[in-house]
Amino acid sequence: MAVRGLAAAVLLLACAAQAARPYRGGAVATAYPQASAAALEMLEKGGNATDAAVAAAFVAAVVGPYHSGVGGGGFALVHDGKSGETKALDFREVAPKAATRDMYVKDGKVVPGLSTDGPLAVAVPGAVAGYLQLLKEHGKLPPSVVLAPAIAAARKGIWVTPRYHSMANGRLECLRRDAEASRIFLVKSEGGTLELPPLGHVLKQPDLARTLEAVAKGGARAFYSGRVAKAIADTVQAGGGVLTVEDLAAYKTRPRQPLEGGYRGHRILTMPPPSAGGVAVLQVLGALEKLRPQGIAFKDPEALHLYVEAVRRAYVDRAKYLGDPDFSDVPTARLVSPGHIADLAGSIDPKKATASLSLLPQSPRTQGSTLTDKPAVHTPEPEKKNTTHISVIDKDGNAVALTTTINYGFGSCVVAKGTGVLLNDEMDDFAAQPGVPNAYGLVTGEPNAIQPGKVPQSSMTPTLVFSKEDPRKVMLAVGSPGGSTIPTTVIQVISHVVDGGMDVGRAVNEGRLHHQYLPDELWVDKWGLEPATLATLEARGHKIRRVDQWGDAEAVFVDPKTGLRYSASDPRNEGMSLGQD
Ligand code: DON
C-alpha cells in the first residue's frame, strides 16, 4: 500500500480493526491507530520491524500520554529473521542515586500516594535511550525519519477520546496538582477550575514536539543532558523529589539474555528478570503441559482450575524471589527448570483450591521468605491500562515485541517544565516495604526493596513464540499492559493459539481469568466464563470476583504453513492492527 494511500486505508481498516485478516507483508498491532499507521509507514519506507516498532513507540508517547512516554521505560525482544538471533533490551527506569529503602515510609507505615503521585515517585527514565538503542542496533532508518510521525502528532494535536477521558478522570486530582501537567492535559473552566477537556477537544503538545525534534537531531544526549535533563531534574527537585542531572547522565540501557522455554513443541523466548512476567509464563505453561500432556480443551473447568493453581504458585515465587538480578541473587534458572516446574505442578490439588496463605512461610514451599504470614491484602482496582504493547513482524521475519510504560495513568502526573515530558511513577513497582502491596495489590519481597540504581520488578512480558516446524521462525509476537495481570494475559493468548488453534483475533478477544496469590481471589472478566463453569470453580473453593475487563493484548501471528501474517489489537482498547498487502 502506498504511503499516500495510508490515511484512507487506516480509516477503512479501523472499521474492521478486530478482524485478523491476512497480510503478505509485514504486520503490526498497537493500542493506537496513529502508532500502527506510523509503524506501517516505516515498513513502506523500507524500514524493518525495529524501525516500525520504535516509530510506533514514539507516537504512543504522544497520543497515549496516560499509558507510556519518553519519561518512562520498558522492555523489548528483537528477533533477527536472517541470523535467527533474538536479543532482549531492558530500558526500564532505575531508582535515583538518592533513593532509599524507606523513602515512602513514615512512622513505620507506607505513606499512601507518595510512590505514585508527584515528584518523589519519579525514577530515572529509560525510554529515549532504549528506543534509540534499538534503532541503532537493529534499525535501518535514521532517527529523523522514525521520529517524524511522533513530532507531527505532537504538533498537530490529539483529540480527546473516551479512553483519554476515563484515564484523565482517574488521575484528575493528581494532574491538578501539577501546573504544567494541568496546562497540557486539562482545560480551565469558565469558573477557573481545572477540568477534563471535552471529548473531541484537540490537545497540542508543542513542547514535546520540540523535545522530540532535539532527540531526532541530537540523539539520546539531547534528553539525558543539557536543557531537557536540567528541566527534568529541576522540576522533580522543586517538588521534593530526588532525581538529579547526574542520574540522567548516568542512565544506561541493559542488554539481557532472553529467557527460553517451550510449550507443546514451540520454543518461547520471553523477558527475564527484572521482569517477573517471563518466569511466570514459562512456569505456568510448563505446569499445564505437565498436568495436561494431551492439551487443553477450551474452557474445560478442570484445566481452568489447574491454570489458576499454577498461576497462584508462580506469583508466590514472584513475591519471594524476583527483583533486579544485578542487585541480588535471583534464582531464575532454577525457577524455570523442569524440576521446579514439576514440583510446582505436583503440589496442585486437582480437585481443590489451595488457600494462598497456606503457601506462606510456615509451609516448606515458602521457607526463607521475607514475607510475613499475614501480609496486608490490598484489593487493587484492576483496570489501570497505563502501559502499552507493540508487536511487529515484518516481511523478512524480523520481529519485535515491545512493552513500555510510565506505570500509573499519566505516570506521576509531573511534567518537566517546558519540555512536555510527562514523568513516570515507576518507583511504585518497588516494595515500598517488603511484604506490603503496591498499587496493583502485588506483594513483593526483599529482592525488590529500593536501592539506588536498581530496576524495580516488572510485570511487563514481551514474548515471542516460535514455529514448531522451524524454531528459528517467529510464529507469534505478543504482550499487553495490565500491571499484575500482564503475564496471565500473555499466557492465555498463547494457550488459545497453541492449545485451541484459535485465530489471533479471537485469542486476544477472549475473556480472561487472573489470580496473583494475594488477594486470594480469582478475577474473571465480564466475558470470561459462563455461570455453569463459574459454579464448578466455586465448588472447588475459588473465591470469584467479577471484574469489568483488563489488559490490551497486541499480537501478530505468522501462519507457519502459508507464511501469511495476521495481526490483532485487543477490542478492549482503541487500538488497531495493520499490515502490508
Ligand atoms: O512494570 C510494571 O509491571 C508496571 N509498571 C506496569 C504497569 C501497567 O501495566 C499498568 N497497566 N495496566
Side-chain angles (χ1 to χ4, degrees), residues 92 384-387 407 426 429 440 458-460 482-483 486:
R92 188 156 159 82
K384 294 280 176 209
K385 281 184 179 162
N386 28 0
T387 293
N407 193 29
E426 220 66 54
D429 279 344
Y440 301 101
S458 175
S459 298
M460 291 186 290
I486 294 173

Side-chain angles (χ1 to χ4, degrees), residues 66-67 73-75 92-93 167 274-276 318 382-388 403-409 425-426 428-429 438 440 442 456-461 480-487 550-552:
Y66 35 85
H67 287 161
F75 299 138
R92 188 156 159 82
E93 303 89 327
M167 295 302 299
S275 165
R318 167 185 181 143
E383 183 49 82
K384 294 280 176 209
K385 281 184 179 162
N386 28 0
T387 293
T388 200
T403 314
T404 184
T405 190
I406 48 170
N407 193 29
Y408 233 51
D425 58 349
E426 220 66 54
D428 188 64
D429 279 344
N438 73 353
Y440 301 101
L442 277 174
Q457 189 198 95
S458 175
S459 298
M460 291 186 290
T461 317
S480 176
S484 55
T485 66
I486 294 173
W550 65 83
D552 175 358

